[in-house]
Amino acid sequence: MTGSNPTGDGAISLPAEIINAVRWAEHVVVLTGAGVSAESGVPTFRDAQTGLWATYKPEDLASVAAYRATPKLVWDWYAWRRELVTQAQPNAAHLALTAMQDIYTNFTLITQNVDGLHQRAGSHDVLELHGNLFRYKCLLCDQPATVDEWRHRSDVPACIHCGGAVRPDIVWFGEMLPSRPLAAAQFATRHCDLFLAIGTSSVVFPAAGLPLLAMEKGALVIEINPSETDLSDSAQFSIHDKAGAVLPALVHAKRNPN
Ligand code: NAD
Ligand code: ZN
């Protein structure tokens, strides 16, 4: 385990083992969490919620029971999050991951984020484990739904097929993860030689199990997170710094071998 050594000029000095791993890796898997979007101004769940929503816990808003009990409240919370994300821009970490996709022949990006910022930065084939704020489906019949106007509505929209309430296509507390991206994430994780866990508190399973699976299969696991997490003790390396500083340094190390 190690931390990075800021050199004082804003650059990050990385241990040789990490630089070598980044240079020689053949199949890289990256798992991102809310921390990767923090530098874009999108709050993580562990951060205090701001303003209007400061008195609510995400656990009390992101569930089927909450939506059934107070649909308008939950809808408005998601509308607020969509507005916030729409105004945000991808940051240096998102852009570095897009660059990695071009550099490595075998590269898989798995995210727990629902903000679509990886795709806006240019990443493709992103495995979204927890859904997306900008997709909708029916609470009753599960069919995809489109919503034209979600601002300032007085009630939640109804499904055109069955009349049920339309909900965000997000994995809520107590729900299963979508099987396709999860299976693809597990497959890639089993076959990678370098696994980066970035900006995730590593407490939400099954996503938190992916770095453990990678280690079990012999991959090197590097965590990038300014704080200690449940993964910090088991990962071979923990770089306690911001994703927006560390990821460009990894790309630089890969592009400049000498
Ligand atoms: P989390 O909120 O539990 O943890 C975020 C982690 O990011 C923390 O460990 C924190 O130390 C770290 N962090 C903060 N700033 C960072 C930075 N600049 N660089 C690197 N790391 C940084 O997030 P989680 O583990 O992703 O789990 C929370 C759940 O909430 C997920 O299911 C996710 O879908 C959802 N969520 C998504 C978003 C989003 O899409 N942007 C935002 C909030 C929550
Ligand atoms: Zn329906």
Side-chain angles (χ1 to χ4, degrees):
M1 242 225 325
T2 185
S4 63
N5 305 306
T7 55
D9 59 359
I12 298 269
S13 147
L14 296 164
E17 295 99 314
I18 292 182
I19 291 180
N20 284 335
V22 166
R23 282 189 183 148
W24 299 112
E26 293 197 340
H27 186 168
V28 178
V29 170
V30 175
L31 171 67
T32 63
V36 91
S37 295
E39 290 162 80
S40 295
V42 180
T44 67
F45 274 178
R46 276 25 172 207
D47 287 340
Q49 297 280 297
T50 50
L52 187 61
W53 301 102
T55 52
Y56 295 96
K57 284 191 287 182
E59 292 85 339
D60 296 338
L61 294 165
S63 72
V64 170
Y67 195 43
R68 289 218 169 99
T70 51
K72 182 69 169 65
L73 178 78
V74 172
W75 189 270
D76 285 350
W77 185 56
Y78 279 98
W80 171 77
R81 290 182 63 196
R82 274 191 295 270
E83 284 218 19
L84 201 141
V85 163
T86 303
Q87 284 159 21
Q89 295 302 323
N91 63 52
H94 297 110
L95 295 171
L97 291 171
T98 305
M100 280 189 189
Q101 177 175 269
D102 297 335
I103 294 172
Y104 292 102
T105 319
N106 270 311
F107 181 83
T108 308
L109 178 54
I110 308 164
T111 191
Q112 299 167 88
N113 293 349
V114 294
D115 56 27
L117 283 171
H118 285 305
Q119 291 89 336
R120 279 174 56 198
S123 291
H124 51 76
D125 301 323
V126 181
L127 298 174
E128 292 183 316
L129 295 184
H130 292 170
N132 190 299
L133 281 173
F134 299 91
R135 277 199 312 264
Y136 307 87
K137 65 180 182 181
C138 174
L139 184 67
L140 284 185
C141 73
D142 212 41
Q143 296 225 49
T146 46
V147 175
D148 296 332
E149 183 271 313
W150 43 262
R151 286 168 208 232
H152 316 303
R153 58 171 56 252
S154 56
D155 204 354
V156 305
C159 170
I160 56 163
H161 304 289
C162 75
V166 169
R167 56 167 279 184
D169 189 358
I170 299 278
V171 178
W172 279 340
F173 289 98
E175 293 187 310
M176 304 276 284
L177 270 62
S179 53
R180 268 177 198 227
L182 178 61
Q186 288 167 334
F187 182 84
T189 299
R190 278 196 198 96
H191 295 92
C192 71
D193 49 8
L194 176 61
F195 187 103
L196 308 177
I198 308 169
T200 172
S201 52
S202 292
V203 291
V204 183
F205 280 82
L210 292 171
L212 308 178
L213 175 63
M215 263 182 277
E216 196 183 300
K217 296 287 172 191
L220 184 82
V221 173
I222 301 175
E223 171 181 63
I224 300 166
N225 195 315
S227 307
E228 286 274 322
T229 74
D230 286 5
L231 178 65
S232 302
D233 278 343
S234 39
Q236 287 96 328
F237 293 99
S238 271
I239 306 178
H240 290 305
D241 216 320
K242 292 183 174 180
V246 177
L247 285 170
L250 297 186
V251 170
H252 181 82
K254 171 72 179 166
R255 280 193 173 138
N256 301 279
N258 296 308

